[in-house]
Every structure is written in C-alpha cells, then in structure tokens.
Amino acid sequence: MVQQLFLAGVEKIQAQLKTLREEREKLLRFKDTGERKSRGYLKQIQEERQKIVSEFQQLRQFLEEQERLLLLWLEKLDKEIVKIRNENITKLSEQISHLSELISELEGKCQKPASEFLQDVRCTLSSECDSGSRHGSSQPCLV
C-alpha cells in the first residue's frame, strides 16, 4: 500500500513534470520566436536608419551644390549690375558735364550787351551753316 501510494504519487508528479516541461518548451519556443522577430525588427530599423542617413546625406550634397550654383549666379548678377551702373554713371556724368558747359556758355552770352549777343548768335548760326554744308546738310544758311 505504501508502495502503491508512492507509485501513485510518483506518477502524479511525473505527469505534472511532463506538463511543466511541455509548458517550459512552449515558453522557450515562444521566447526564441520573440527574439528572432525582435532581431529582425532591429535589423530592419538599422537598415531604415542607414537608408535615411544616406538619403539625407544625398539631399545635403544636392542642396550644397544648389547653394553654390545660386551664389555663383548671384555673384555674376551683382558684377553685371555694378558694371551697368558704372557705365550709366559715366555716360550720365559726361552728358551732365556737357550740358553744364553749354549752360555756362549760354549764361555768359546772356550777360553780354545786346550788340555782342546778336553778333555771337550770328557767328554761331554762321558756323552751324558752314559745318552743316560740310556734312552734306541741305539747309540753307540764314545769315
């Protein structure tokens, strides 16, 4: 009887051991599957990280090149604007100087007595007629 009880207890324990071992195996498989999936996800994340880093590096290079080209274009545009401005200033300064000379000359003529003023006008018209006839002008001289 003790022997039977002992054997019954051992059988019961062995049955529980079998159940526990099966449960442990199931959990180990679950753990292994989880670890494999986790490693796979971590690998995918690392690959995605490298892809993102690479894409952003390419974008930075592209943007740096675009910045360089645009800055070169702006530098050329700046030089062209300065060149045109300087040319315009030179031309306008020459024209202003010429007009200032004419104004001074005419102001001087206006200050002369009437007889001298008319003589200067007659000489001016005479020289214009002479120079006009030399350049093939068909206008008659009015003096």
Side-chain angles (χ1 to χ4, degrees):
M1 175 132 146
V2 174
Q3 185 68 20
Q4 284 180 335
L5 285 174
F6 174 74
L7 289 177
V10 168
E11 283 180 20
K12 203 172 189 180
I13 290 174
Q14 285 181 347
Q16 287 180 340
L17 280 173
K18 182 180 176 192
T19 303
L20 290 172
R21 285 183 180 126
E22 288 172 354
E23 185 67 26
R24 181 179 70 183
E25 286 301 315
K26 182 179 165 184
L27 290 174
L28 285 171
R29 284 191 304 272
F30 183 72
K31 178 184 170 197
D32 286 344
T33 302
E35 286 180 2
R36 264 186 272 121
K37 284 183 180 181
S38 178
R39 281 192 301 270
Y41 294 145
L42 290 173
K43 183 179 177 185
Q44 285 178 333
I45 289 171
Q46 182 61 28
E47 289 170 355
E48 190 65 24
R49 180 180 288 120
Q50 289 173 348
K51 181 181 169 186
I52 289 170
V53 167
S54 175
E55 288 175 358
F56 272 86
Q57 181 61 34
Q58 290 174 358
L59 285 171
R60 276 191 291 278
Q61 288 173 347
F62 172 77
L63 290 173
E64 287 171 359
E65 180 64 15
Q66 291 302 307
E67 178 186 26
R68 187 185 69 77
L69 293 174
L70 288 171
L71 289 174
L72 280 174
W73 177 75
L74 287 175
E75 185 178 331
K76 288 179 182 178
L77 187 60
D78 189 359
K79 288 178 181 178
E80 186 64 25
I81 289 171
V82 168
K83 177 185 169 194
I84 290 170
R85 182 194 67 197
N86 289 341
E87 289 172 356
N88 287 339
I89 288 173
T90 300
K91 287 177 186 176
L92 290 172
S93 294
E94 289 172 358
Q95 290 174 353
I96 290 169
S97 176
H98 179 68
L99 290 175
S100 294
E101 289 174 13
L102 288 176
I103 290 169
S104 293
E105 185 180 322
L106 290 175
E107 286 175 342
K109 288 182 181 184
C110 287
Q111 299 298 322
K112 292 183 178 180
S115 62
E116 263 186 70
F117 177 76
L118 292 173
Q119 182 63 35
D120 281 348
V121 171
R122 194 175 301 129
C123 288
T124 301
L125 289 175
S126 174
S127 70
E128 285 179 5
C129 289
D130 288 345
S131 67
S133 63
R134 275 184 258 138
H135 297 297
S137 174
S138 60
Q139 292 183 340
C141 183
L142 300 176
V143 180

